[in-house]
Amino acid sequence: MTTTNKPLKICGKSANDALIDQLRACKNTDEILKFEKWFNSNIESDKLYKRICELLKNRSISRALGSKWLLTLIEDRENTITNLSIE
């Protein structure tokens, strides 16, 4: 039996709730980054940072929570860029 991983399309209130629950379950930076990698490669709608921005805009999450997640993603990007510049 052959199976394929079909990209998921997330939209709607229940999907946003599921996304929020998944992000809240991430207890540290590594878990957030691991989830981001999975999300960006398996969800066809948007990148995780865009979805977090939408949740903030729609007031579905608090500013503190959204900023925590976005700060983690931005710091990882900055570290990656810095490491590439050094090499």
Side-chain angles (χ1 to χ4, degrees), residues 60-75:
S60 300
I61 57 173
S62 70
R63 292 178 294 188
L65 193 56
S67 65
K68 173 187 165 189
W69 296 335
L70 287 174
L71 185 60
T72 300
L73 302 179
I74 291 168
E75 285 177 345

Side-chain angles (χ1 to χ4, degrees), residues 23-76:
L23 282 166
R24 284 186 175 147
C26 297
K27 300 298 180 198
N28 57 45
T29 301
D30 291 334
E31 290 179 0
I32 293 171
L33 295 175
K34 193 174 182 180
F35 177 71
E36 179 201 19
K37 185 176 181 180
W38 176 87
F39 185 91
N40 290 345
S41 63
N42 291 299
I43 307 300
E44 65 184 42
S45 59
D46 275 325
K47 299 291 185 191
L48 183 59
Y49 70 89
K50 288 182 181 179
R51 296 301 303 253
I52 293 171
C53 289
E54 282 181 36
L55 294 171
L56 284 166
K57 185 177 92 176
N58 296 334
R59 298 183 180 189
S60 300
I61 57 173
S62 70
R63 292 178 294 188
L65 193 56
S67 65
K68 173 187 165 189
W69 296 335
L70 287 174
L71 185 60
T72 300
L73 302 179
I74 291 168
E75 285 177 345
D76 180 61

